[in-house]
Amino acid sequence: MDRTSAEKRIVELREILWENSRRYYVENAPTMSDYDYDHLMYELEALEQEFPDLITPDSPTQKVGSDLADTEENRKAAEHEKDARSGQPTEREMSMSEDFEAKNIFRQYAHQYPMLSLGNTYSIEEVEAFADRATKTLDRPFTFNCELKFDGTGISLTYRKGKLFRALTRGDGTKGDDVTKNVKHIQNIPQSLKGSGYPEEFEIRGEIVMPYDSFDQLNRERLINEDTPFANPRNAASGSLKLIDPKEVGKRGLYCILYHIPGDIMQFGTHSHAMECAKEWGLPISDKSKVCRNIDEIEEYINFWDTERKKLPYATDGIVIKINEIAAQMDLGYTSKSPRWAVAYKFKAEQALTEVLSIDYQVGRTGSVTPVANLAPVLLSGTTVKRATLNNSDFMASLDIRIGDYVYVEKGGEIIPKITSVELKKRPEHSQRPEFPTLCPDCGTPLVKAEDEARFYCPYSEGCPTQIKGRLLHFMSRKAMNILAGEATVDQLYDLGMVRSIADFYDLKMPDLLRLDGWKEKSAINFLNSLEKSKQVTFDHVLFALGIRNVGEITARTMARHFKNIDAILAASIEELTEVEDIGGIIAESIYSYFKQEKHIDEIARLREAGLQFAMAEDEGPRSEILKGTTIVISGNFSISRESMKKLIEANGGKNSSSLSKKTAFLLAGTKAGPEKLKKAETLQIPVKTEEEFFQMTGLEKEIAEQQTLFTPPSVSTGEEGPEEEPNLFNM
Ligand code: IVH
């Protein structure tokens, strides 16, 4: 390539790479696959190597990407960094800290050692070349340490006198966001070290990951609340680590794995020994690393983990090969961006290429409009993909997706396949950018969009049929009121004008139901019985059934337990709501505004009149304290329903949790327990108990449990809790 064309291409590549780096690190919503990004970076590197005078210090080949938001407060604070470092907070320093808290901004601090990235490759030959280069430069025996490349978000922890002092994100590599408060809610990060022999002060770095089961659960909740689901566990981990409310962070099931102590660590001799010591001090270190002596052993490690990694409970995207001896690492040194003593071999994500047949715009029960691509069916990681969400108009625009385009679809252990890019070479001639609708596709109301939101909404919540039907369906769903009817019944009841709000269900009479297509006396009786039975559904489920934005099953239960009855909730202030365990500011606001609306107050009055439970029953407090302070995760099928098992645990003072963590006392595993859960229990060394062992150990009686939960929705177990009654969009 001649110099002028090279210059032009370099400018172009830098722009694309910076833009995608911003989307990846700042927005947590990448629009390009890692593979494509890396290959554009290789192209830029090659061009810069050919024309070295065109290299500029701000080229993406010279600098690591940044996840920092540039704020005025942080610029000011950087000038006073010295105050912060002296360890003695001055008055100015303290008032500055308050400023950050009040404005919900993370304060930034400089890293003591820069947080670099890693040179990466997708080819074994290049790993060989890396080993050869090291052999030539070092000219003495040395070993390699092979480890997994965890696909999360980088973290640097500083321990001072054995106590967790500060946690910084990678930021721009030289300074990071102070997320210490948030990190304290990540259960496997110790706040104090064990044993002795640790340096007075040191940094240790690693990755915060979100295990697949927590990721799936989070995205399920986001779908229920009509929030855009995270594209992958990495983005979810990164977004969660930067939540403003530390309590919320604690609920995200994040998990930390540490893999690097920067600075002068000659005393350890080797990296693997440094990690062993860190493990002794109680720090979370991976047990999957291996010291390898030569390229054959490295290859063996790579091949083994290429398949084995799919069984891990968290995402990995490659293998990191490090020279193990610290003295050798020091001899090899660093480039401006990465160490010369390490390289990452990356696995290619499974991808499929398929055609976009059409785009639907779906309206959810809260009115948000989600574009969905209908795809020519394609097989990916064992499932046929026919549809993929396009999230919102911004995402569609950044992909520049058009009908007739061929798109790459990826699935990396996540439940929702995602479109990563468009194959422009296959774009049909004269294709047009699809216009995002300006009117609600269901009721024709002009759509609205709040300035700080990416989604369009149909504001006509009272009249838009899809929103109303969505709310009715949610009310009837199994985890809510468990009323025996499906979408077709709701459609008919709505279309005939018999049910327009949830309270209307309880006014239905036999003659109304006999008007429904194909309904005979028997089906009508069954339906009326089911409505009657729903009047015994406990208060926590009723609260969930109301469909309050951001109030999932667990939040509804916590609220019901805390406030005991609806009147207390109706009277609660935002402050009182935030005092409840696990309820953060956003959830509190949405509960508060729901109960302030006249139409909701009227509806609750009608439901109360109909006889629904709006208070916790007296005997719903613990019946024994046998499981007090015990957090249990259940998985699989039992001889009693899962719902009964959960109730039994709670009735005896225990706590149910859906994801395993250090706080979990044991995993109660029935038949067909989830393999991911079992594997994770093993990784976290959490005991696994069978149903028999559980009843023996506690002396509880399952027959009583079954009877006492007679009126709660029976659960049809699928082994793992999966998405049910959620938007049909995701049955792909
Ligand atoms: S070592 C001086 N080891 O991958 C370099 N990094 O793509 C220290 N990563 O920035 C990094 N797993 O955030 C190292 N086992 C591992 C890793 C790992 C994941 C991340 C890390 C790094 C990025 C580069």
Side-chain angles (χ1 to χ4, degrees):
M1 192 184 281
D2 65 46
R3 196 187 153 80
T4 325
S5 326
E7 208 168 348
K8 209 171 137 224
R9 180 70 181 148
I10 283 175
V11 170
E12 198 173 83
L13 285 168
R14 283 180 188 163
E15 255 170 44
I16 303 174
L17 290 167
W18 276 130
E19 176 54 18
N20 274 283
S21 166
R22 194 187 59 77
R23 288 208 175 127
Y24 184 95
Y25 286 114
V26 182
E27 288 181 13
N28 288 313
T31 47
M32 185 183 269
S33 74
D34 282 9
Y35 184 83
D36 290 341
Y37 180 88
D38 289 335
H39 281 79
L40 292 176
M41 184 73 90
Y42 301 155
E43 188 188 342
L44 179 60
E45 273 164 7
L47 284 173
E48 288 184 347
Q49 227 166 40
E50 207 181 330
F51 302 97
D53 59 311
L54 294 179
I55 300 178
T56 55
D58 70 338
S59 169
T61 60
Q62 309 296 308
K63 267 176 84 172
V64 302
S66 171
D67 62 18
L68 296 176
D70 192 21
T71 62
E72 180 62 26
E73 286 74 13
N74 268 304
R75 276 194 294 277
K76 268 196 227 149
E79 291 166 22
H80 299 282
E81 178 86 332
K82 282 198 201 85
D83 290 357
R85 290 200 151 240
S86 70
Q88 292 300 328
T90 60
E91 238 173 70
R92 176 169 210 161
E93 158 70 14
M94 284 195 293
S95 91
M96 222 156 19
S97 296
E98 281 164 19
D99 231 32
F100 279 95
E101 272 186 31
K103 290 188 178 150
N104 284 342
I105 303 168
F106 289 105
R107 175 138 190 203
Q108 290 160 11
Y109 288 104
H111 291 295
Q112 201 179 346
Y113 306 96
M115 254 177 118
L116 299 175
S117 104
L118 285 172
N120 66 43
T121 177
Y122 290 82
S123 109
I124 282 280
E125 289 72 34
E126 286 197 24
V127 176
E128 266 175 52
F130 160 80
D132 287 346
R133 270 197 310 277
T135 310
K136 270 193 208 117
T137 318
L138 292 170
D139 198 25
R140 61 176 189 269
F142 66 93
T143 56
F144 301 93
N145 193 62
C146 289
E147 44 198 77
L148 297 174
K149 185 171 180 325
F150 305 100
D151 199 8
T153 183
I155 192 78
S156 185
L157 306 176
T158 300
Y159 283 87
R160 195 180 261 184
K161 294 196 171 75
K163 299 262 179 289
L164 177 62
F165 170 67
R166 185 170 287 161
L168 296 179
T169 66
R170 187 165 86 141
D172 64 1
T174 59
K175 56 182 184 310
D177 280 328
D178 180 357
V179 287
T180 317
K181 279 193 184 150
N182 286 355
V183 153
K184 287 189 174 164
H185 288 258
I186 298 177
Q187 282 156 359
N188 76 332
I189 296 184
Q191 302 205 23
S192 304
L193 300 180
K194 288 196 303 195
S196 58
Y198 40 78
E200 166 93 0
E201 177 166 335
F202 68 101
E203 268 185 58
I204 184 157
R205 292 174 177 173
E207 211 80 359
I208 305 286
V209 297
M210 183 177 284
Y212 291 125
D213 55 358
S214 308
F215 171 73
D216 290 346
Q217 189 189 331
L218 174 63
N219 266 355
R220 274 204 292 272
E221 279 167 17
R222 287 177 78 89
L223 286 174
I224 292 173
N225 295 328
E226 306 201 335
D227 287 333
T228 307
F230 283 109
N232 54 46
R234 192 212 77 82
N235 298 131
S238 170
S240 301
L241 187 62
K242 289 207 180 177
L243 286 171
I244 297 302
D245 184 350
K247 270 208 276 181
E248 290 284 317
V249 181
K251 295 198 305 191
R252 295 280 173 105
L254 297 173
Y255 180 72
C256 177
I257 307 157
L258 300 169
Y259 47 64
H260 179 52
I261 302 181
D264 177 10
I265 53 160
M266 279 300 278
Q267 76 264 31
F268 294 109
T270 58
H271 164 69
S272 51
H273 182 232
M275 292 300 105
E276 276 162 28
C277 293
K279 193 172 182 181
E280 302 252 297
W281 304 330
L283 290 162
I285 306 297
S286 166
D287 58 359
K288 313 277 184 287
S289 305
K290 187 173 180 243
V291 176
C292 292
R293 282 162 304 180
N294 51 47
I295 187 75
D296 291 340
E297 289 185 6
I298 296 177
E299 265 186 61
E300 203 183 309
Y301 183 89
I302 290 179
N303 292 334
F304 176 77
W305 283 107
D306 194 2
T307 45
E308 205 60 19
R309 74 192 182 102
K310 292 174 187 152
K311 299 183 194 152
L312 293 174
Y314 44 75
T316 55
D317 62 342
I319 300 293
V320 180
I321 303 117
K322 296 174 181 168
I323 308 289
N324 197 24
E325 288 70 19
I326 306 297
Q329 288 188 359
M330 287 172 71
D331 287 349
L332 290 164
Y334 296 83
T335 70
S336 64
K337 216 180 139 182
S338 51
R340 289 200 185 85
W341 46 261
V343 70
Y345 171 84
K346 288 179 80 172
F347 299 120
K348 203 166 177 267
E350 252 187 280
Q351 272 195 335
L353 187 65
T354 188
E355 192 187 349
V356 179
L357 302 176
S358 60
I359 295 172
D360 289 341
Y361 297 89
Q362 292 197 341
V363 185
R365 75 178 149 89
T366 61
S368 72
V369 179
T370 308
V372 180
N374 293 309
L375 306 168
V378 64
L379 198 68
L380 182 65
S381 312
T383 48
T384 304
V385 177
K386 290 186 229 142
R387 281 152 84 68
T389 176
L390 294 169
N391 300 328
N392 53 49
S393 56
D394 291 353
F395 185 75
M396 277 175 77
S398 62
L399 277 176
D400 183 21
I401 194 168
R402 303 175 187 198
I403 293 162
D405 268 347
Y406 275 78
V407 289
Y408 288 100
V409 192
E410 266 185 28
K411 210 167 155 222
E414 300 100 80
I415 47 170
I416 308 162
K418 58 175 189 274
I419 295 178
T420 52
S421 59
V422 174
E423 179 50 274
L424 293 175
K425 288 185 207 125
K426 287 176 83 99
R427 170 162 284 175
E429 260 181 68
H430 314 299
S431 69
Q432 302 262 311
R433 235 176 240 170
E435 292 275 334
F436 202 92
T438 52
L439 304 178
C440 172
D442 292 305
C443 68
T445 305
L447 298 179
V448 294
K449 184 176 178 219
E451 217 166 84
D452 54 347
E453 283 204 50
R455 283 169 170 269
F456 279 94
Y457 282 86
C458 165
Y460 192 29
S461 65
E462 291 317 293
C464 176
T466 316
Q467 289 184 58
I468 300 173
K469 286 183 197 170
R471 290 197 294 269
L472 298 175
L473 268 171
H474 171 77
F475 181 78
M476 299 167 75
S477 64
R478 191 174 63 72
K479 288 186 175 175
M481 304 306 285
N482 196 32
I483 297 167
L484 283 177
E487 225 173 311
T489 307
V490 167
D491 278 347
Q492 286 204 64
L493 289 171
Y494 178 86
D495 294 342
L496 291 169
M498 293 190 219
V499 177
R500 289 287 151 108
S501 89
I502 52 179
D504 294 343
F505 280 124
Y506 296 93
D507 293 340
L508 288 170
K509 302 273 173 318
M510 179 69 96
D512 303 322
L513 296 170
L514 291 177
R515 283 174 60 203
L516 301 185
D517 236 11
W519 279 55
K520 299 260 158 48
E521 203 162 305
K522 186 152 182 255
S523 33
I525 289 175
N526 282 345
F527 184 76
L528 289 171
N529 280 344
S530 170
L531 276 175
E532 204 48 39
K533 206 169 159 192
S534 78
K535 295 180 184 169
Q536 300 305 321
V537 164
T538 49
F539 177 43
D540 47 341
H541 289 274
V542 175
L543 215 44
F544 172 62
L546 295 178
I548 306 165
R549 203 180 170 126
N550 297 314
V551 176
E553 217 192 328
I554 296 172
T555 309
R557 196 178 309 150
T558 318
M559 278 171 69
R561 292 241 168 87
H562 183 95
F563 291 102
K564 307 275 192 291
N565 61 57
I566 196 80
D567 295 313
I569 299 179
L570 282 162
S573 64
I574 295 207
E575 290 69 36
E576 282 162 341
L577 287 163
T578 23
E579 273 163 24
V580 182
E581 192 192 344
D582 292 342
I583 294 187
I586 297 170
I587 305 181
E589 292 235 2
S590 110
I591 300 170
Y592 184 79
S593 90
Y594 180 92
F595 287 110
K596 282 289 155 286
Q597 292 177 46
E598 205 65 39
K599 59 184 182 201
H600 294 144
I601 298 174
D602 290 348
E603 192 155 60
I604 288 166
R606 284 180 65 199
L607 292 170
R608 203 184 246 197
E609 184 84 349
L612 268 61
Q613 302 294 317
F614 277 102
M616 286 302 250
E618 282 306 318
D619 66 351
E620 279 179 42
R623 283 196 299 275
S624 92
E625 304 258 294
I626 248 171
L627 295 170
K628 193 172 175 203
T630 315
T631 302
I632 301 167
V633 173
I634 71 167
S635 179
N637 302 336
F638 303 93
S639 62
I640 58 174
S641 70
R642 274 157 68 92
E643 209 57 44
S644 300
M645 188 59 104
K646 283 190 189 168
K647 294 256 165 176
L648 180 69
I649 290 170
E650 284 171 5
N652 290 283
K655 200 173 165 191
N656 286 293
S657 167
S658 50
S659 54
L660 290 152
S661 71
K662 241 173 63 185
K663 276 198 189 156
T664 314
F666 55 87
L667 170 68
L668 179 52
T671 52
K672 293 199 191 145
E676 301 253 283
K677 285 241 161 68
L678 290 168
K679 183 91 197 167
K680 189 169 168 195
E682 195 190 320
T683 315
L684 297 177
Q685 298 183 339
I686 292 168
V688 180
K689 306 262 177 238
T690 62
E691 178 178 344
E692 203 173 44
E693 284 169 331
F694 171 76
F695 282 113
Q696 224 164 41
M697 180 176 106
T698 56
L700 298 172
E701 287 176 43
K702 58 183 158 196
E703 291 71 22
I704 297 178
E706 193 83 303
Q707 276 167 23
Q708 298 209 338
T709 53
L710 213 57
F711 290 120
T712 62
S715 65
V716 182
S717 182
T718 51
E720 282 291 289
E721 283 188 297
E724 293 135 66
E725 265 102 32
E726 257 100 74
N728 54 8
L729 154 67
F730 298 100
N731 300 329
M732 293 180 262

